Amino acid sequence: MSSSKSPTVGGHIDSQCTRCRMLTNHTVVAMVAERPVKVQCNTCGGLHGYRPPKAEPKARPATPRRVTDKPARSSRSADQEQWQRALADKDQGQARPYAMDAAFAADELVRHPLFGVGVVTAIFKPNKVEVLFEEGRKTLRCKF
């Protein structure tokens, strides 16, 4: 509430506005007993049921989390090794530019503007391919 005294019809109160989607100042339009039931937003003019301000979430004590990125590193390095082996016997100049409306075949080289040169490792029907780039595997959209 905006003030420490109890609300009255015509008085001001804070409420969650359904149109503004945030806590704003409202004018009390209707009350039942000591409780406001209908309010009008002073910002947008919307008329709606009273929604009390959301309670502040209680702060939880920080708990130490165990972060393990060993599997990600090992799979990343395995992907890099596989990428290097796949490109070792291929001419990177022959890589086709990536386009969402292009169709690709397995083991084909693709040049992506952000990820660089990669090799198609899998095709997923109806419209996706998995491409192995130096930084890892990416699933990209394509034409089937």
Side-chain angles (χ1 to χ4, degrees):
M1 277 186 224
S2 296
S3 64
S4 60
K5 59 184 180 175
S6 61
T8 59
V9 174
H12 297 281
I13 190 168
D14 288 337
S15 177
Q16 285 293 127
C17 182
T18 56
R19 191 181 293 171
C20 297
R21 295 183 184 236
M22 58 190 227
L23 185 66
T24 60
N25 194 8
H26 288 68
T27 301
V28 178
V29 176
M31 293 185 65
V32 172
E34 298 290 318
R35 200 174 123 245
V37 291
K38 189 156 289 268
V39 292
Q40 184 171 15
C41 180
N42 294 338
T43 303
C44 70
L47 189 66
H48 57 83
Y50 172 68
R51 294 174 183 253
K54 294 179 180 173
E56 293 293 321
K58 294 180 181 178
R60 295 187 329 187
T63 56
R65 294 187 180 191
R66 192 171 159 209
V67 178
T68 306
D69 58 354
K70 287 183 182 178
R73 280 189 186 157
S74 63
S75 67
R76 192 177 311 138
S77 62
D79 282 348
Q80 281 182 333
E81 290 174 19
Q82 184 180 355
W83 176 80
Q84 289 172 346
R85 283 193 308 270
L87 268 68
D89 60 343
K90 296 189 183 218
D91 179 16
Q92 291 187 24
Q94 298 295 323
R96 284 188 29 210
Y98 169 74
M100 289 192 306
D101 60 349
F104 297 99
D107 208 36
E108 183 176 0
L109 289 183
V110 177
R111 182 175 306 281
H112 191 277
L114 184 63
F115 306 122
V117 176
V119 61
V120 176
T121 57
I123 300 170
F124 304 112
K125 291 182 182 179
N127 62 349
K128 293 196 170 106
V129 292
E130 181 183 76
V131 182
L132 178 61
F133 294 102
E134 183 176 17
E135 65 182 47
R137 298 175 186 274
K138 305 288 181 190
T139 302
L140 305 174
R141 185 170 176 223
C142 71
K143 182 173 138 184
F144 182 66

